[in-house]
DNA sequence: TGTACATCAGTGAACGCGCGTTCACTGATGTAC
DNA sequence: TGTACATCAGTGAACGCGCGTTCACTGATGTAC
């Protein structure tokens, strides 16, 4: 992350303002992450992100070279780790992931479900940024996977993740509440059996 | 579909131009479907769609009241049936769906994978339009599903569909070709075993 | 059937709004001596 | 330590481009008699 490079560049000459800048930068990334997940990249303006971070839009270009740059950095910062930490097995993780709470909370939810198809259509930069998160996520799931061989674990991790992301997305598409709930319930069952 | 309503409205008073209009309307919907799947709703302009349909942008409003309207109608027309027809079982269908050919062909591919998260974030109108297609697709998969009870078939149809959509999307996100291929291969295995 | 009239799909210029980006300026931060 | 200077995050007005939408106009289609 550029943040780290920046600190390295400053070396031991710590400045109060630089501290504030690091905080502001993180606030921008956090606000952007939430807004993008809720409304998509094109559904959010630079000005909105900056306002949510407590700044005016003009300051944006002190932090990022363009909106495209912000999107890429936001994706890099969007790793799924928080969801995995407390889950001892894929089944329990799926239970949390496929909850109604998660389905209804775009802003704090999984970036693959909320922006997956957008990124899939995007340029190499954005896809690369999210591919890092994808690898991390699969590696963590693999640790918790059941299976005799490494191959088996890998396969069940990948399949489970595809199922979770797909199910959450489909349940969010359905405007029929019953079908939406059913998708979550039945896929949860499949992943815990 | 409005097309049918239109024909009914015209009744027996068939007009040559009306014929042409029906064709043009279908051409617009087809062009829009391909372009939207490839570049997303906001990545495509009304003028581009009309040009692809062989018309100029001004004529657009003789067919649709707004871009939003076009998007809704395009989604309604995007059913997955073509992919299911030739597949006798979910396993064989998954083999086609999770092919590299499908992954690399956004324009003619599955609308859930290419526009799923966009629609999930959208208003009730768009989600409703795609929910119809989702129900149709699940019903068709259910017909071909293995399982002792109706419940079992339903569960395996929903889970299989979530896995397919999720896997195709993830494989498209990955800019690492190996990982992308691996996702397709391992999920195909899971769905055929 | 033929003729006068009405309709309306289609054209392309123009409008106007929204949004990403730029810029002159400010004032606090941080530095040099 | 104190003072003069340099830097630069932050502000808000302004720019300009793109795109959805509108509109006056055309000419072919279709209708009425």
């Amino acid at each position: 992350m550029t943040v780290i490079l920046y600190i390295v560049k400053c070396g031991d000459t710590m400045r109060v303002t630089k501290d504030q800048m690091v905080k502001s930068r993180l606030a921008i990334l956090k606000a952007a992450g939430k807004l993008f997940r809720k409304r998509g990249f094109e559904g959010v303006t630079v000005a909105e992100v900056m306002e949510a971070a407590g700044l005016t839009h003009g300051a944006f270009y002190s932090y990022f070279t363009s909106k495209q740059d912000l999107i890429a950095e936001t994706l890099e910062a969007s790793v799924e780790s928080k969801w995995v930490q407390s889950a001892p097995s894929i089944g329990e993780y799926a239970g949390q992931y496929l909850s109604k709470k998660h389905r209804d909370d775009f802003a704090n939810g999984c970036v693959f479900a909320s922006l997956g198809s957008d990124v899939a259509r995007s340029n190499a930069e954005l896809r690369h940024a999210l591919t890092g998160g994808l690898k991390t996520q699969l590696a963590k799931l693999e640790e918790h996977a059941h299976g005799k061989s490494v191959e088996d674990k890998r396969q069940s991790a990948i399949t489970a993740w595809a199922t979770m992301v797909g199910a959450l997305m489909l349940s969010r598409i359905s405007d029929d509440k019953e079908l939406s709930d059913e998708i979550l319930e039945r896929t949860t069952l499949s992943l815990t059996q």
Side-chain angles (χ1 to χ4, degrees), chain A residues 82-129:
Chain A
K82 57 176 174 175
W83 285 91
V84 175
Q85 282 170 356
S86 57
S89 71
I90 288 187
E92 291 206 25
Y93 178 55
Q96 291 174 39
Y97 189 94
L98 295 170
S99 65
K100 294 176 188 178
K101 186 185 165 199
H102 188 190
R103 176 193 63 194
D104 299 335
D105 186 8
F106 283 71
N108 302 296
C110 171
V111 69
F112 291 93
S114 55
L115 293 167
S117 42
D118 298 74
V119 175
R121 290 190 312 261
S122 296
N123 60 32
E125 186 189 11
L126 296 195
R127 294 196 298 124
H128 185 73

Side-chain angles (χ1 to χ4, degrees), chain A residues 94-106 110 113-114 162-188:
Chain A
Q96 291 174 39
Y97 189 94
L98 295 170
S99 65
K100 294 176 188 178
K101 186 185 165 199
H102 188 190
R103 176 193 63 194
D104 299 335
D105 186 8
F106 283 71
C110 171
S114 55
T163 307
M164 285 188 242
V165 172
L168 184 59
M169 199 174 75
L170 293 177
S171 77
R172 283 172 170 175
I173 287 171
S174 175
D175 75 326
D176 178 336
K177 185 91 167 49
E178 271 188 45
L179 175 59
S180 177
D181 290 352
E182 188 192 6
I183 291 168
L184 294 180
E185 286 157 16
R186 295 212 194 258
T187 50
T188 302

Side-chain angles (χ1 to χ4, degrees), chain A residues 115-152:
Chain A
L115 293 167
S117 42
D118 298 74
V119 175
R121 290 190 312 261
S122 296
N123 60 32
E125 186 189 11
L126 296 195
R127 294 196 298 124
H128 185 73
L130 197 53
T131 300
L134 177 55
K135 287 180 179 175
T136 305
Q137 177 73 354
L138 291 176
K140 289 195 178 176
L141 286 168
E142 221 177 316
E143 285 174 26
H144 299 284
H146 296 303
K148 290 180 180 175
S149 65
V150 177
E151 291 283 303
D152 285 352

